[in-house]
Amino acid sequence: MQVGKNVKPFSLTEMLQMAGEIADGMAYLASTKFVHRDLAARNCMVAESSTVKIGGIKFTAIKYCYII
């Protein structure tokens, strides 16, 4: 995707699809006992196919989990 004047904004449907992909990615990380620690828009990269990749990962492994 090129940045410029002729780029159309994403539709609501596309943004909801992206939000779902981000949530799925974070759920996957949680299932492997990792925490991203810096999820923000600046760390979400959108490919030409509107697929979202999560970057800027500062992983933390969860060693202990206390439920109160």
Side-chain angles (χ1 to χ4, degrees):
M1 178 181 300
Q2 292 182 329
V3 176
K5 294 179 182 178
N6 296 328
V7 177
K8 68 176 181 75
F10 293 111
S11 69
L12 177 60
T13 303
E14 290 171 315
M15 287 190 285
L16 289 173
Q17 176 67 34
M18 290 179 205
E21 288 181 14
I22 293 166
D24 287 345
M26 297 308 289
Y28 170 75
L29 288 177
S31 73
T32 61
K33 304 288 191 235
F34 281 93
V35 177
H36 186 284
R37 289 183 39 187
D38 192 25
L39 180 62
R42 68 179 174 271
N43 291 328
C44 296
M45 297 158 281
V46 182
E48 288 188 31
S49 62
S50 297
T51 301
V52 179
K53 305 291 183 184
I54 300 171
I57 297 176
K58 297 177 182 176
F59 280 123
T60 298
I62 300 174
K63 294 183 180 181
Y64 304 100
C65 181
Y66 298 101
I67 300 173
I68 298 175

